[in-house]
Amino acid sequence: MLKKFPLVLLALAAFASVSVHAQTRGPAPALSSIRIYAVGSPSCNWEIISTGAFSTTCNHGGGQIQVAVLEIGYGSTYPLVKMSGNTLPSSARYSRTPVCGTASNYTFTCSAGQIVIGFLNEYNLGSSYQSGLFTYQNNSINGGGTFYARINIL
């Protein structure tokens, strides 16, 4: 299996050293965007996906494909995630890391007092898939609508 997404490791290290106390500051921001952030595999390591890309540029075939999906805003806890038309079990998500900052300037490391504006969700597709269409759909928890992202993994 691939190592955890490098940016997420930094975020986890930050959480280990900072004590964060939750404060209510208002309603959660509505889901405003979903983006396939990166695709990883042993053959290509992590490939950062350009906004609007329809396909990976690297051939990730060979098994153990992983996908990182960036949500800005708050979506439901259980999005609809599919690979090659097959719904993935919720257990395929192995990490859900808070994202802080603003929608245009965010970081994967949250400090005490920062506002969580979204989440980086990471999925392990296992060895069953060599390539195919990965789709991700989620609904805002507070009226922001339904958002959808997809990437053809080569």
Side-chain angles (χ1 to χ4, degrees), residues 40-130:
S41 67
S43 58
C44 295
N45 208 351
W46 283 101
E47 175 185 352
I48 304 298
I49 305 300
S50 300
T51 302
F54 295 106
S55 177
T56 59
T57 57
C58 187
N59 182 352
H60 288 274
Q64 295 303 323
I65 296 172
Q66 295 174 298
V67 180
V69 180
L70 178 63
E71 288 186 342
I72 300 299
Y74 281 68
S76 71
T77 306
Y78 300 103
L80 178 59
V81 184
K82 294 183 178 185
M83 180 64 181
S84 297
N86 299 309
T87 301
L88 297 177
S90 60
S91 61
R93 182 174 67 193
Y94 67 88
S95 178
R96 181 172 168 87
T97 304
V99 176
C100 289
T102 66
S104 61
N105 185 22
Y106 52 83
T107 178
F108 297 107
T109 55
C110 296
S111 300
Q114 282 190 298
I115 296 173
V116 174
I117 62 156
F119 295 91
L120 183 70
N121 296 296
E122 295 179 76
Y123 292 87
N124 183 355
L125 307 185
S127 58
S128 300
Y129 299 101
Q130 302 297 307

